[in-house]
């Protein structure tokens, strides 16, 4: 239980840092209090696109190994 809690907290910190970097890159003049749900949605969409691409590459690599 405690291990899961720490893993969840570490994941949260990692995702939050990623969100901060992405926002700073995409919206360099955006202030924290100006962030909207749309900004977060765009970031999540960006992360999901990257995740899909990584998963597709892994799938292709595993298919090559089994072929």
């Amino acid at each position: 239980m405690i291990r899961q809690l720490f893993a969840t907290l570490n994941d949260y910190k990692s995702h939050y840092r990623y969100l901060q970097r992405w926002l700073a890159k995409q919206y360099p003049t955006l202030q924290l209090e100006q962030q909207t749900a749309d900004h977060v949605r765009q970031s999540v969409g960006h992360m999901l696109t990257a995740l899909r691409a990584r998963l597709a590459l892994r799938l292709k690599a595993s298919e090559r190994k089994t072929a």
Side-chain angles (χ1 to χ4, degrees):
M1 175 74 174
I2 300 243
R3 185 176 288 168
Q4 287 177 315
L5 176 63
F6 282 115
T8 301
L9 291 173
N10 286 334
D11 287 345
Y12 172 78
K13 288 191 306 188
S14 175
H15 293 300
Y16 186 70
R17 279 194 301 267
Y18 180 84
L19 174 63
Q20 287 177 315
R21 284 193 306 265
W22 185 85
L23 283 169
K25 185 177 178 182
Q26 297 298 315
Y27 303 98
T29 61
L30 184 71
Q31 298 297 315
L32 180 64
E33 59 275 358
Q34 295 172 319
Q35 292 180 18
T36 64
D38 190 51
H39 293 114
V40 176
R41 270 190 228 96
Q42 289 175 28
S43 173
V44 169
H46 178 72
M47 288 190 325
L48 288 174
T49 300
L51 178 61
R52 280 188 207 109
R54 276 187 267 143
L55 289 174
L57 288 174
R58 285 186 184 174
L59 180 60
K60 284 183 181 179
S62 69
E63 287 173 349
R64 275 187 248 133
K65 287 181 183 177
T66 58

